[in-house]
Amino acid sequence: MAASKWLLHDAFIEYLHDYTINLEGDTLKMRLYTSASGIHDASVIDATTESANEISGTNGYTTGGTPVIVTISRNVGTTTVECTDGSWLAAGGSITARYAAIINETVAPDAVLFTTLLDDTNQDVQALDTNTFLVQIDPNGIYTAAQAP
């Protein structure tokens, strides 16, 4: 499934500008969260310690998520931040989630950088047993930045 637009968390913007984080050098992971999680509140949630309800580490999902690699590119004055997709093979049951988050594990506590609602209709997304739960990053990346005209 293609993830919705990614939200940039307030902490990400601060950490990027004060050099707390290095998107291309730090350890980043994509994690999945339930509908009961407040992880998607970008103005309030700065760290994973502030929001519970990561999905359980069963049925092919590993607690703590899967590593992602961020790449940054520039083309004609626009900088694009992209990362690898998140992927889990459901085994022994279904994987169900409402949100995905990209977490920086290099800082303590783990910082929430970006989150997305996995379904625009605000419903849970599920991969049945033996199917892949795939969070595809938009071809235009997580976000772009450009000079104001």
Side-chain angles (χ1 to χ4, degrees), residues 10 34 38 64 144 147:
D10 289 356
T34 70
T144 59
Q147 291 283 0

Side-chain angles (χ1 to χ4, degrees), residues 56-74:
S56 65
T58 59
N59 300 338
Y61 180 79
T62 302
T63 301
T66 189
V68 293
I69 298 169
V70 168
T71 56
I72 300 171
S73 61
R74 185 179 59 175

Side-chain angles (χ1 to χ4, degrees), residues 13 23 60 69 88 99 116 125 133:
I13 295 166
L23 288 176
I69 298 169
W88 299 267
Y99 304 104
T116 188
V125 173
F133 194 106

Side-chain angles (χ1 to χ4, degrees), residues 19-136:
Y19 304 107
T20 299
I21 61 171
N22 174 352
L23 288 176
E24 292 181 303
D26 291 352
T27 300
L28 304 180
K29 290 191 176 177
M30 186 181 296
R31 297 180 187 171
L32 300 177
Y33 288 84
T34 70
S35 60
S37 176
I39 198 78
H40 202 51
D41 191 343
S43 63
V44 175
I45 304 299
D46 295 337
T48 56
T49 55
E50 298 171 337
S51 179
N53 300 311
E54 178 181 1
I55 68 169
S56 65
T58 59
N59 300 338
Y61 180 79
T62 302
T63 301
T66 189
V68 293
I69 298 169
V70 168
T71 56
I72 300 171
S73 61
R74 185 179 59 175
N75 184 19
V76 192
T78 298
T79 299
T80 301
V81 176
E82 303 175 85
C83 82
T84 51
D85 297 336
S87 177
W88 299 267
L89 179 62
S94 299
I95 296 174
T96 303
R98 177 79 50 101
Y99 304 104
I102 297 176
I103 309 296
N104 185 318
E105 292 187 338
T106 303
V107 298
D110 295 351
V112 180
L113 304 181
F114 318 107
T115 57
T116 188
L117 178 64
L118 295 172
D119 180 278
D120 286 336
T121 64
N122 204 26
Q123 299 297 310
D124 286 345
V125 173
Q126 185 177 66
L128 300 175
D129 191 16
T130 73
N131 289 290
T132 299
F133 194 106
L134 178 65
V135 179
Q136 290 181 301

